[in-house]
Amino acid sequence: MTNRYDSQVPPVHIRAAGLGGANPGGWPRATRAAPEPSRKPDVCPKHDQALPCQHVRCKPGGAESTASGLVLPNGYQKPVEAERERFPRLDWDEAFATDFSQVDWLPGRFMERGQQVALVGDGKVGKTLFVHDWLWRCVTGRSFLGDEQRDPLSVLYFDRENSLRDIVTRMIAFGAKPVDLRERFDYRRFPRFSGGLDAAPIAVAELLEIVDETHPDVVVLDTVSRFIEGKENDADTWLSLYRRIHVPLKDRGVAGFRLDHMGKDTDRGSRGSSAKSQDVDHVWEMARTDEHHQDDGDVHTVTTQIRMKRTHTRTGIGDDVLSVTRRGRKGANGLWLPGETRHELSDPGSLRQQEQVIQSYVDELLSRNAPLFGRDKLRQWCSERGVSFPGRDTLAAEVTKRFKAQRDSRDV
């Protein structure tokens, strides 16, 4: 049966038009408007989006599919290859043929290449100090936390926290020199992005352009809350940051490392939304457990015990707790002595312990600008100047070899 309201021409009401007589007052008699036909919710039935649907095939003059690709409204045709790049299909045979038994660790073995990681801790616990020590060893190919020696990495560091004095005095305390840093440690102080990295596409484009120009292995945001516009308690802020920054970095195989502050309730982790801990591969929480001061003449030694606990992990690979000792020495003027600040594992296994011992010898030789002698001549040179050097020949040979390699890489 045909509904009389299905016609495109609305029905004419005789009385309402004044053609069928008037009521006693002389005005045309009003009639009730016809009910509109029932309608479905304002949702596109094809793409489950609110109308008007923004899908490219539903927009006015939308796209058309052809055998060779997708034709957009402006006439541009996207090739099939381009569409496949946007939606890459996993090759199961190739995936299963890949050897995942070897973990591609970054120095220190607390994150892998290309992973996105957050380091959380109270203010003044020494997060930046720890990261600076880690990164200068990364760029120079030095061992860190007793890990084996690895190839030098390139680092891109965005800093909106630290003064130039803080940065330089720390690097000197570690034993770093300009020649160690200038090629591989790209440090950007107080960068002026055009908006927050969670909200402004142009700011995201600026950062990724620098990444594509410099090809870093690691990108650092210190501190991440200084780089966002949204509220820290809003989950959308961190979901947007992950989508705009961390996903492109991961797609490029670039590790992302962000420093963050602990909330008022330390049991609940970092400040702000819980989404912060859900979007990264690992969350490490840093806490100071003890600190000891000792005076020896004009030298003041500060030994700090630090506990790093992995509270969230996507892979579960590696240690969940690291006990770290930070040791630094100050001179009579109160300044940290060059090359006398370092982080080491408090309870390393035998292999890591040996690596830490070797690297401590190498660091002192580098800080003293020792000559490139062989084992025996280098031992004599150290003895004449009161520089510590291993007595055991096998250990001395490994120290000499490691020293030459790191000295050569620094001089390149």
Side-chain angles (χ1 to χ4, degrees):
M1 179 177 180
T2 304
N3 190 313
R4 64 191 180 98
Y5 298 118
D6 289 342
S7 171
Q8 294 182 357
V9 180
V12 177
H13 296 279
I14 303 297
R15 291 186 182 276
L19 301 178
N23 62 15
W27 292 97
R29 187 183 302 276
T31 60
R32 180 177 298 175
E36 293 191 8
S38 59
R39 300 170 61 184
K40 295 181 179 180
D42 294 336
V43 175
C44 174
K46 292 183 179 180
H47 306 113
D48 195 29
Q49 294 187 17
L51 296 177
C53 181
Q54 297 300 308
H55 193 279
V56 66
R57 299 181 189 274
C58 279
K59 288 183 179 180
E64 298 179 0
S65 293
T66 67
S68 58
L70 191 69
V71 180
L72 298 177
N74 59 8
Y76 172 74
Q77 182 170 341
K78 281 189 176 181
V80 173
E81 291 76 11
E83 287 295 289
R84 289 173 179 168
E85 290 180 3
R86 292 182 61 216
F87 308 103
R89 170 179 283 182
L90 178 63
D91 186 328
W92 287 109
D93 294 313
E94 181 180 350
F96 271 71
T98 305
D99 181 12
F100 294 107
S101 62
Q102 301 298 319
V103 180
D104 193 1
W105 291 111
L106 297 188
R109 297 171 64 90
F110 54 85
M111 69 180 294
E112 301 173 46
R113 185 179 295 273
Q115 286 187 332
Q116 311 301 300
V117 172
L119 177 63
V120 183
D122 288 331
K124 312 308 179 186
V125 73
K127 298 184 297 294
T128 301
L129 189 62
F130 175 86
V131 173
H132 280 178
D133 190 13
W134 170 52
L135 292 177
W136 98 270
R137 295 180 182 278
C138 284
V139 300
T140 55
R142 286 170 166 80
S143 172
F144 185 66
L145 297 184
D147 187 17
E148 64 187 72
Q149 187 179 7
R150 302 180 186 275
D151 292 336
L153 303 178
S154 294
V155 173
L156 177 59
Y157 200 108
F158 294 104
D159 185 354
R160 282 183 172 174
E161 285 276 350
N162 300 282
S163 69
L164 182 61
R165 178 190 178 91
D166 292 337
I167 298 168
V168 173
T169 54
R170 286 170 185 161
M171 291 298 169
I172 293 174
F174 300 141
K177 295 179 172 60
V179 67
D180 298 324
L181 308 172
R182 67 168 65 107
E183 294 297 328
R184 293 181 175 272
F185 205 153
D186 189 344
Y187 206 106
R188 310 292 177 107
R189 292 184 58 242
F190 298 97
R192 295 186 291 272
F193 290 112
S194 301
L197 298 179
D198 62 314
I202 187 171
V204 175
E206 290 167 348
L207 183 145
L208 295 179
E209 182 180 6
I210 298 174
V211 170
D212 291 337
E213 288 177 353
T214 58
H215 305 290
D217 297 293
V218 184
V219 173
V220 180
L221 297 178
D222 183 5
T223 298
V224 67
S225 59
R226 311 296 189 196
F227 292 88
I228 61 173
E229 290 184 6
K231 297 180 180 179
E232 285 193 71
N233 292 328
D234 191 346
D236 288 343
T237 299
W238 305 107
L239 296 176
S240 178
L241 181 71
Y242 176 77
R243 184 177 66 254
R244 295 172 183 270
I245 298 298
H246 291 293
V247 169
L249 291 179
K250 181 174 285 192
D251 185 53
R252 288 165 167 80
V254 177
F257 196 91
R258 68 193 197 199
L259 285 73
D260 198 4
H261 292 304
M262 188 74 76
K264 293 181 180 179
D265 184 355
T266 57
D267 292 335
R268 299 182 62 182
S270 60
R271 189 170 64 193
S273 169
S274 61
K276 282 174 141 183
S277 60
Q278 298 171 7
D279 63 349
V280 291
D281 296 297
H282 306 293
V283 177
W284 286 94
E285 291 187 359
M286 174 183 285
R288 183 189 294 113
T289 60
D290 190 24
E291 189 165 279
H292 177 69
H293 296 255
Q294 181 179 353
D295 289 318
D296 184 8
D298 292 335
V299 177
H300 180 73
T301 302
V302 181
T303 304
T304 307
Q305 301 299 328
I306 298 169
R307 184 173 185 264
M308 290 181 58
K309 180 180 179 181
R310 188 169 64 176
T311 58
H312 298 79
T313 175
R314 194 183 304 277
T315 66
I317 300 175
D319 297 326
D320 290 322
V321 177
L322 296 175
S323 296
V324 179
T325 299
R326 176 192 299 138
R327 187 173 289 104
R329 304 175 71 197
K330 293 181 180 180
N333 57 2
L335 298 178
W336 297 103
L337 297 176
E340 295 292 337
T341 299
R342 62 188 297 117
H343 294 80
E344 297 178 335
L345 285 183
S346 306
D347 51 355
S350 58
L351 290 179
R352 285 206 178 195
Q353 186 174 20
Q354 182 175 346
E355 285 290 336
Q356 289 188 166
V357 170
I358 293 173
Q359 191 61 52
S360 65
Y361 283 120
V362 173
D363 286 344
E364 185 166 7
L365 291 172
L366 290 168
S367 67
R368 302 270 187 156
N369 200 26
L372 293 173
F373 288 156
R375 182 194 64 190
D376 294 338
K377 284 189 175 181
L378 189 57
R379 177 184 283 137
Q380 181 180 353
W381 184 90
C382 290
S383 177
E384 292 172 352
R385 290 160 179 79
V387 178
S388 56
F389 193 81
R392 188 158 50 94
D393 285 348
T394 54
L395 184 59
E398 182 61 30
V399 169
T400 303
K401 176 183 176 183
R402 190 81 59 88
F403 164 65
K404 288 182 177 180
Q406 295 184 19
R407 173 70 180 271
D408 289 342
S409 64
R410 187 182 74 177
D411 294 341
V412 172

